Amino acid sequence: MTNAEKQPIIKKCIGCSNIEGEVCRVWFSPATKWRTGNCPSATHIKRELSEPEQKVRVGQQKQKKKLG
Ligand code: SF4
């Protein structure tokens, strides 16, 4: 396959290390990969973690009540 057959990268690809000249070396059509979200092969983005910040909880000491 020659590069001429591939579709050019898009703006969102800029910074990705899979860029080869004006095309992507992984995907035929970069625009398609980005259409529904982040490109799964992008090296320049971090996966956005949806998990909330985990706070370290200070363990509550259980109070032992002496009965009687
Ligand atoms: S891997 Fe994804 S982000 Fe990187 S150049 Fe290819 S299409 Fe663009």
Side-chain angles (χ1 to χ4, degrees):
M1 193 192 297
T2 65
N3 282 352
E5 290 170 324
K6 288 189 170 186
Q7 290 173 24
I9 55 163
I10 61 172
K11 275 186 187 174
K12 285 176 178 174
C13 295
I14 293 171
C16 178
S17 56
N18 286 320
I19 294 174
E20 232 168 33
E22 291 178 0
V23 298
C24 170
R25 92 170 95 132
V26 182
W27 304 107
F28 181 83
S29 174
T32 305
K33 300 316 291 183
W34 284 98
R35 192 168 295 156
T36 53
N38 291 342
C39 170
S41 306
T43 63
H44 60 315
I45 56 165
K46 286 180 182 173
R47 272 171 196 257
E48 285 180 23
L49 298 177
S50 56
E51 45 183 277
E53 272 183 46
Q54 285 187 344
K55 289 180 183 173
V56 179
R57 281 188 190 172
V58 178
Q60 275 186 330
Q61 285 187 336
K62 283 181 184 173
Q63 288 182 332
K64 283 180 184 173
K65 281 182 184 176
K66 281 183 182 175
L67 293 174

